């Protein structure tokens, strides 16, 4: 129960041991506890705690402070700093105790740790005073909480106490940016013994070398601490922007640091005066210059207001302009206006710039007439009209032009463009389309400004709508052949005909070293220049001619020397001839080859590197050589070679000629063999010559020996043997066979002798039941029965053999034909 209550609360259901952790207590609340024992007869009397117990985490002394460091040292003081302990022991650290130990090198004084602070040290720094100059000291710190002091920290020292001197040093930020109206603290960390004299200087960012001392007042003040100097600027202004320099000086030296301070705020007023670029009855265009001070931030836009000169209320016009030019619309003619412009950045709208009063009125008239336009780029359906802007624009910029046209035979002017033609910097051009070919046109133009349309110009000179004609471009000539006195020229027409049909060509040539060109007029694209001097050098060129005149020449790039041309032979087969030709026997072998070269090559034909067959004929023309064999045979096939040779070299062409014919006779021997009493078997060899095409079939025919007519036996046989069925037993037959390919059937080959159809004859089986019937001292009598199968023919004789026991070889006993089935062997 808590100390304020009277009712006891049961904590546990059961507990078998003599200790228990009570959960769910309220932190900071004080409690009493009691315990009662229980057995099977019941619960005993309680035992209560005498002292109240507070529910809280256990508290221990804190850990020692850390990072104890020595700061400034003088002849009788030492400044110390440290960090709080990592663990406060469960209760806040209330204060610190600083202790020191003076070293005695002589051993006369007992060295003991003494507390240096008379009051509790609540901060993590302390200056130890009243030290003996020249003494050697160590220092340590203890943290204290409600549970007591901690173990001492790690010591620092030993340190000899004496005045320390060092030149000044400064730590200062290099850049600071703040918004206008905020308080600014520029803090500089200062070191130096003795403590240096501090001076703040200020310079404009545009003149960094022009530094002046900072004047201290209610707006700017300086605060100096033991290790820092703060420049305090209250309610900062844009004028506070600048380069601030702090200088520290003591007897050991000088140090300085510079910092750039930007105070950002609203921009200043734009730079005037406001100029009126144009004045109209309903609008004015004004311009100005950006403010000298943009507030430290980019100008985002300008705010423009207006008011009539006799009124006090400003009316917003716009806040969208980003450039220093704007046209104020919706003004009333004759009213006098004053305009106000303010720059704006992300910090707000700056101070205004007001204009002088100005009256809304028109200061101009319609523009004057343009000069007479000119016409160029004429085609059959379009012309380009060109003109310059008028000399007088009426006091207002030209905004466009109206262009009109008319045929010279008519009187009515028609406007060409639907919308005004925009002016251009270097004269205006406009392409007029939809004209009628062959018609003659004139054009005039009127300028437009804010006051309206000016008077039209003088009409242009008449121009006829037709495609322009110009002399043609140069042809592209080349020399295809030459001799010692002539040159063959060919050329392709020019890429551009000048808009008119090419009517002819002029071929020009001259001897090298001479000035005058010889000319020949022709109509085609080929020409042979004859009558030239042997051994001389000539140049050639060709010009095209159309209705506009003679075009530029196209020249042959090479200079040609007049001498017979040597060209190595060249052979081209006719389109009907390939590298391999196939001809049926009885047909015509015709190989046409076109032979060129200079001088004319000699042509030689051969077959398989030997002479041509007797049947071969050679037909020659000025440009070709042909080999012809009529009614060709299989023997005419082979490898035919054409050899062309002249002084320039030689060229060879080879053509494979295949002659297809029916196959030759089948190979011998042609064999026949009885199979049964109504069939026989034929066997033969393939023909030596298949006619140039694979054998596809063998044709077999038969005839009886006593007849002359042949009868087909079968139509399709692809192997070299066949079984003939359906023959008559006892009849004698002749057979003949012919091979067949895709060309046709070859000659027949007949059997040399007839074959009689009957069952085939084989050797008989062995005799049966051989027995010894009688035995004497020198003879044996034997008997036997005939064989079960006589081989298809009557038994013509028996052969009796014997051998001695122990010997392997049998010897014939009978010498004459033995037909009886009994025999006595004598002489044993």
């Amino acid at each position: 129960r808590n100390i304020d209550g009277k009712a006891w609360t049961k904590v546990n259901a059961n507990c078998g041991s003599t200790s228990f952790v009570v959960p769910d207590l309220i932190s900071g609340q004080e409690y009493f506890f009691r315990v009662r024992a229980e057995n099977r007869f019941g619960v005993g009397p309680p035992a209560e705690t005498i002292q109240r117990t507070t529910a809280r985490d256990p508290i221990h002394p804190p850990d020692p402070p850390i990072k104890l460091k020595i700061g400034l040292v003088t002849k009788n003081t030492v400044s110390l700093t440290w960090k709080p302990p990592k663990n406060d022991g469960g209760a806040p650290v209330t204060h610190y105790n600083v202790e020191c130990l003076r070293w005695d090198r002589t051993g006369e004084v007992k060295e003991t740790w003494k507390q240096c602070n008379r009051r509790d040290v609540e901060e993590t720094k302390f200056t130890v005073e009243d030290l003996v100059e020249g003494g050697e000291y160590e220092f340590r710190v203890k943290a204290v909480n409600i549970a007591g002091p901690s173990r001492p920290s790690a010591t620092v020292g030993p340190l000899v106490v004496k005045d320390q001197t060092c030149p000044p040093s400064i730590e200062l930020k290099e850049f600071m940016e703040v918004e206008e109206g905020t308080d600014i603290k520029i803090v500089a960390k200062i070191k130096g013994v003795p403590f240096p004299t501090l001076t703040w200087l200020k310079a404009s960012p545009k003149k960094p070398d022009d530094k002046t001392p900072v004047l201290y007042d209610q707006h700017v003040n300086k605060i100096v601490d033991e290790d820092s100097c703060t420049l305090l600027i209250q309610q900062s202004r844009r004028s506070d922007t600048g380069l601030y320099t702090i200088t520290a000086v003591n007897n050991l030296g000088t140090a300085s640091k510079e910092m750039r301070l930007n105070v950002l705020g609203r921009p200043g007023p734009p730079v005037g005066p406001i100029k009126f670029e144009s004045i109209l009855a309903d609008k004015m265009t004004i311009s100005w210059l950006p403010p000298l001070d943009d507030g430290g931030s980019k100008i985002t836009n300008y705010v423009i207001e207006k008011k009539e000169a006799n009124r006090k209320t400003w009316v917003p016009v716009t806040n969208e302009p980003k450039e220093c030019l704007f046209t104020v619309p919706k003004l009333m003619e004759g009213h006098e206006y004053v305009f106000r412009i303010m720059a704006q950045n992300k910090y707000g709208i700056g101070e205004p710039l007001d204009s002088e009063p100005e009256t809304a009125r028109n200061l101009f008239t319609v523009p004057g007439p343009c000069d007479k336009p000119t016409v160029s780029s004429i085609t059959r359906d379009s012309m380009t009209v060109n003109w310059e802007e008028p000399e007088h624009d009426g006091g207002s910029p030209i905004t466009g032009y109206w262009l009109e046209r008319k045929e010279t035979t008519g009187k009515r002017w028609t406007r060409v463009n639907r919308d005004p033609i925009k002016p251009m910097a270097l004269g205006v051009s406009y392409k007029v389309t939809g004209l009628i070919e062959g018609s003659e046109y004139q054009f005039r133009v009127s300028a437009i400004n804010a006051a309206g349309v000016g008077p039209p110009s003088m009409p242009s000179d008449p121009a006829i709508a037709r495609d322009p004609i110009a002399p043609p471009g140069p042809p592209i000539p080349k020399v295809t052949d030459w001799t010692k006195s002539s040159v063959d020229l060919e050329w392709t027409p020019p890429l551009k005909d000048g808009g008119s049909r090419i009517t002819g060509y002029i071929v020009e040539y001259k001897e090298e070293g001479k000035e005058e060109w010889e000319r020949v007029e022709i109509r085609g694209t080929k020409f042979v220049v004859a009558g030239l001097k042997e051994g001389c050098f000539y140049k050639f060129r060709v010009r095209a001619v159309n209705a506009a005149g003679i075009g530029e020449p196209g020249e042959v790039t090479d200079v040609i020397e007049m001498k017979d041309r040597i060209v190595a032979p060249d052979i081209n087969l006719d389109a009907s001839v390939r590298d391999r030709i196939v001809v049926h026997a009885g047909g015509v072998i015709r190989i046409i080859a076109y032979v060129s070269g200079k001088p004319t090559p000699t042509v030689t034909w051969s077959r398989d590197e030997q002479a041509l067959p007797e049947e071969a004929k050679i037909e020659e023309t000025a440009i070709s050589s042909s080999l012809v064999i009529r009614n060709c045979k299989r023997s005419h096939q082979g490898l035919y070679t054409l050899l062309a040779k002249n002084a320039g070299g030689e060229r060879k062409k080879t053509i494979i000629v295949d002659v297809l014919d029916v196959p030759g006779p089948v190979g011998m021997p042609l064999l026949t063999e009885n199979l049964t009493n109504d069939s026989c078997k034929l066997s033969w060899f393939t023909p030596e010559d298949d006619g140039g095409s694979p054998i596809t079939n063998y044709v077999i025919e038969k005839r009886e020996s006593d007849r002359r007519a042949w009868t087909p036996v079968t139509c399709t046989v692809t192997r070299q043997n066949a079984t003939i069925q359906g023959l008559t037993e006892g009849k004698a037959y002749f057979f003949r066979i012919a091979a067949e390919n895709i060309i046709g059937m070859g000659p027949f080959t007949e059997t040399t002798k007839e074959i009689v159809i009957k069952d085939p004859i084989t050797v008989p089986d062995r005799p049966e039941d051989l027995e010894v019937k009688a035995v004497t001292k020198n003879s044996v009598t034997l008997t036997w029965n005939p064989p079960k199968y006589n081989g298809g023919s009557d038994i013509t004789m028996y052969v009796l053999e014997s051998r001695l026991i122990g010997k392997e070889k049998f010897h014939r006993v009978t010498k004459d034909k033995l037909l009886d089935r009994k025999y006595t062997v004598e002489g044993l």
Side-chain angles (χ1 to χ4, degrees):
R1 67 177 177 85
N2 57 41
I3 59 173
D4 298 326
K6 294 183 179 181
W8 290 90
T9 303
K10 189 174 182 180
V11 173
N12 65 311
N14 51 51
C15 177
S17 65
T18 57
S19 65
F20 184 76
V21 177
V22 180
D24 302 327
L25 301 180
I26 299 172
S27 179
Q29 183 71 51
E30 294 181 328
Y31 293 90
F32 287 108
F33 299 93
R34 71 182 185 180
V35 180
R36 293 191 294 175
E38 183 178 14
N39 63 11
R40 63 190 180 92
F41 296 105
V43 180
E48 295 184 18
T49 57
I50 301 173
Q51 295 180 348
R52 62 185 67 182
T53 304
T54 303
R56 63 183 179 186
D57 289 334
I59 299 174
H60 305 285
D63 288 350
I66 58 176
K67 296 183 179 180
L68 176 62
K69 293 181 180 180
I70 296 175
L72 180 63
V73 179
T74 66
K75 62 182 178 180
N76 54 13
T77 63
V78 173
S79 295
L80 301 175
T81 60
W82 60 89
K83 298 290 184 183
K86 293 182 178 179
N87 182 12
D88 62 2
V93 174
T94 57
H95 63 276
Y96 297 93
N97 291 328
V98 180
E99 297 178 347
C100 69
L101 172 67
R102 182 179 179 185
W103 283 35
D104 184 10
R105 300 289 183 180
T106 62
E108 297 177 357
V109 181
K110 185 178 180 181
E111 297 178 349
T112 58
W113 287 94
K114 296 180 180 180
Q115 184 170 320
C116 303
N117 53 305
R118 296 185 180 86
R119 296 190 301 272
D120 294 341
V121 179
E122 296 180 354
E123 296 179 346
T124 56
K125 61 181 179 178
F126 182 72
T127 300
V128 182
E129 300 176 342
D130 300 329
L131 300 178
V132 178
E133 184 176 3
E136 196 170 3
Y137 291 88
E138 274 188 278
F139 300 93
R140 68 184 185 185
V141 181
K142 295 180 181 179
V144 182
N145 67 4
I146 193 172
S150 67
R151 290 178 287 106
S153 67
T155 62
V156 292
L159 172 70
V160 177
V161 177
K162 61 181 179 178
D163 280 336
Q164 293 181 348
T165 59
C166 65
S169 64
I170 303 171
E171 292 182 12
L172 181 65
K173 287 184 179 180
E174 294 183 354
F175 181 78
M176 181 182 293
E177 192 172 78
V178 297
E179 188 174 348
E180 185 179 17
T182 59
D183 293 341
I184 302 172
K185 288 184 179 181
I186 303 175
V187 180
K189 295 292 185 179
I190 308 298
K191 292 183 180 179
V193 180
F195 194 80
T197 302
L198 303 175
T199 305
W200 285 95
L201 303 174
K202 179 183 176 183
S204 171
K206 296 181 180 180
K207 298 179 180 180
D209 295 331
D210 188 9
K211 298 180 180 179
T212 58
V214 175
L215 299 177
Y216 304 112
D217 53 18
Q218 292 183 349
H219 177 59
V220 180
N221 199 3
K222 179 176 74 171
I223 302 174
V224 179
D225 292 330
E226 62 182 15
D227 61 348
S228 65
C229 179
T230 301
L231 187 67
L232 178 62
I233 303 174
Q234 297 181 350
Q235 295 295 310
S236 59
R237 309 165 189 161
R238 275 289 293 160
S239 58
D240 294 324
T241 298
L243 298 175
Y244 288 85
T245 303
I246 183 172
T247 303
V249 180
N250 67 8
N251 56 0
L252 296 179
T254 302
S256 64
K257 282 284 186 176
E258 184 177 81
M259 187 197 76
R260 168 71 181 264
L261 174 64
N262 274 358
V263 180
L264 307 179
R266 297 178 301 167
V271 176
I274 297 175
K275 295 182 180 180
F276 292 89
E277 301 294 338
S278 70
I279 300 173
L280 299 176
D282 59 345
K283 59 185 176 181
M284 296 185 194
T285 300
I286 56 177
S287 66
W288 60 95
L289 295 176
L292 297 176
D293 180 13
D294 62 1
S297 179
K298 181 181 177 181
I299 300 296
T300 57
N301 58 285
Y302 291 92
V303 178
I304 301 176
E305 298 177 347
K306 70 179 180 181
K307 74 181 183 71
E308 293 188 27
N310 56 358
R311 297 191 178 184
K312 295 182 179 181
T313 305
W314 290 95
V315 178
V317 175
T318 182
N319 61 354
E320 295 180 359
K322 295 182 178 4
E323 305 297 331
C324 298
L325 182 72
F326 185 75
T327 299
V328 181
K330 299 180 181 180
L331 302 180
M332 298 180 66
E333 186 175 5
H335 288 231
E336 192 176 35
Y337 291 92
V338 177
F339 300 96
R340 167 177 285 182
I341 303 171
M342 294 162 284
Q344 183 173 1
N345 63 10
K346 69 177 182 179
Y347 297 104
I349 300 173
E351 296 297 319
L353 170 67
D354 292 350
S355 72
E356 295 295 328
E358 186 59 64
T359 303
R361 66 193 186 279
N362 287 328
L363 303 177
F364 47 80
T365 60
V366 296
C370 299
D371 291 338
K372 182 170 72 172
T374 60
V375 179
S376 63
S377 302
I378 301 173
T379 67
R380 63 175 179 270
D381 61 353
S382 68
M383 298 181 189
T384 299
V385 183
N386 311 287
W387 66 91
E388 299 291 336
E389 67 178 18
E391 185 176 353
H392 301 288
D393 61 3
S396 175
I398 302 298
T399 58
Y401 298 92
W402 291 118
L403 180 61
E404 298 174 298
R405 79 178 185 201
K406 79 176 184 70
E407 295 185 29
T408 54
T409 56
K411 294 183 178 180
R412 183 178 178 184
W413 288 92
T414 304
R415 185 174 289 178
V416 172
N417 51 312
R418 292 184 179 180
D419 298 320
I421 300 170
K422 293 182 179 180
M424 301 179 188
L426 301 175
V428 186
S429 296
Y430 188 81
K431 185 176 182 180
V432 181
T433 58
L435 303 180
I436 301 172
E437 185 175 6
S439 297
E440 193 174 32
Y441 292 92
Q442 285 182 295
F443 301 89
R444 70 181 187 182
V445 64
S446 302
I448 308 169
N449 68 2
V453 181
S457 67
M458 292 291 293
S460 66
D461 294 333
I464 299 174
R466 64 183 178 189
D467 285 334
I469 298 175
I476 306 173
K478 65 178 179 179
V479 174
T480 58
D481 200 4
W482 68 87
T483 66
K484 62 184 177 181
S485 61
S486 66
V487 170
D488 291 5
L489 287 175
E490 288 185 10
W491 56 88
T492 55
L495 299 176
K496 296 181 179 180
D497 61 4
S500 178
R501 181 177 61 86
I502 302 294
T503 58
Y505 295 93
I506 296 176
V507 178
E508 298 179 328
Y509 62 94
K510 72 170 182 175
E511 186 178 344
E512 192 173 34
K514 293 185 178 181
E515 296 294 331
E516 186 176 353
W517 290 83
E518 301 290 337
R519 303 181 64 179
V520 181
E521 295 185 9
I522 63 169
R523 291 188 177 276
T525 57
K526 295 182 180 179
F527 185 68
V528 178
V529 182
L532 304 177
K533 297 178 183 179
E534 183 178 1
C536 294
F537 293 86
Y538 284 86
K539 291 184 177 180
F540 300 89
R541 66 186 187 185
V542 182
R543 298 174 183 263
V545 182
N546 67 2
I550 301 173
E552 293 294 320
E555 298 190 3
V556 177
T557 56
D558 298 328
V559 178
I560 307 301
E561 182 182 2
M562 291 297 99
K563 63 180 181 179
D564 283 333
R565 185 183 180 195
I566 296 178
V567 180
D570 191 21
I571 302 174
N572 291 302
L573 297 178
D574 188 75
S576 61
V577 180
R578 299 179 180 177
D579 292 340
R580 185 187 189 99
I581 61 175
V582 180
V583 185
H584 289 189
V588 178
I589 299 174
R590 187 183 302 277
I591 303 174
I592 303 174
Y594 297 99
V595 182
S596 62
K598 286 192 176 184
T600 304
T602 58
V603 178
T604 304
W605 289 87
S606 63
R607 186 191 71 166
D608 297 332
E609 299 185 355
Q610 297 179 1
L612 295 174
E614 294 180 357
E615 296 86 353
K617 304 294 181 185
I618 304 299
E619 300 175 356
E620 292 189 348
T621 67
I623 62 171
S624 68
S625 178
S626 303
L627 170 70
V628 181
I629 302 176
R630 292 179 173 81
N631 195 19
C632 63
K633 305 174 184 177
R634 279 279 292 164
S635 60
H636 290 148
Q637 71 178 9
L639 198 65
Y640 286 80
T641 303
L642 170 61
L643 176 64
K645 183 185 297 185
N646 70 0
E650 64 178 40
R651 185 72 182 272
K652 185 183 290 186
K653 198 75 174 181
T654 301
I655 305 97
I656 300 172
V657 177
D658 285 336
V659 180
L660 302 183
D661 200 356
V662 297
V666 298
M668 298 297 288
L670 175 56
L671 303 177
T672 58
E673 180 185 355
N674 269 316
L675 291 180
T676 66
N677 58 3
D678 64 349
S679 66
C680 70
K681 181 179 180 182
L682 300 181
S683 301
W684 63 91
F685 290 93
T686 57
E688 293 183 2
D689 181 11
D690 62 1
S693 180
I695 302 298
T696 59
N697 184 32
Y698 291 95
V699 178
I700 304 174
E701 294 182 346
K702 70 180 179 179
R703 73 176 177 85
E704 296 177 8
S705 60
D706 55 353
R707 294 187 181 184
R708 291 186 177 182
W710 291 91
T711 304
V713 174
T714 182
C715 292
T716 305
V717 177
T718 57
R719 295 177 294 179
Q720 287 78 46
N721 58 73
T723 300
I724 312 301
Q725 305 282 352
L727 303 178
T728 304
E729 185 177 5
K731 287 279 187 180
Y733 290 90
F734 285 96
F735 296 92
R736 68 180 183 181
I737 303 174
E740 189 175 20
N741 64 9
I742 194 171
I743 306 301
M745 186 173 67
F748 281 101
T749 300
E750 298 184 19
T751 55
T752 56
K753 60 181 180 179
E754 63 185 23
I755 180 172
V756 179
I757 303 306
K758 58 182 180 180
D759 283 334
I761 299 173
T762 63
V763 295
D765 289 348
R766 67 183 182 180
E768 300 288 330
D769 305 324
L770 176 64
E771 293 182 3
V772 178
K773 292 296 185 180
V775 180
T776 66
K777 63 180 181 179
N778 58 1
S779 67
V780 175
T781 300
L782 303 169
T783 62
W784 60 87
N785 291 323
K788 292 182 179 179
Y789 177 61
N790 62 6
S793 179
D794 294 336
I795 302 298
T796 56
M797 62 179 291
Y798 293 98
V799 177
L800 184 62
E801 295 176 336
S802 68
R803 72 177 174 89
L804 290 172
I805 300 299
K807 301 290 185 179
E808 292 183 359
K809 191 173 182 181
F810 279 88
H811 298 277
R812 185 170 179 173
V813 175
T814 59
K815 295 182 181 180
D816 299 327
K817 285 188 176 182
L818 177 62
L819 291 175
D820 294 336
R821 295 192 296 277
K822 183 178 180 181
Y823 186 78
T824 300
V825 182
E826 297 179 346
L828 301 176

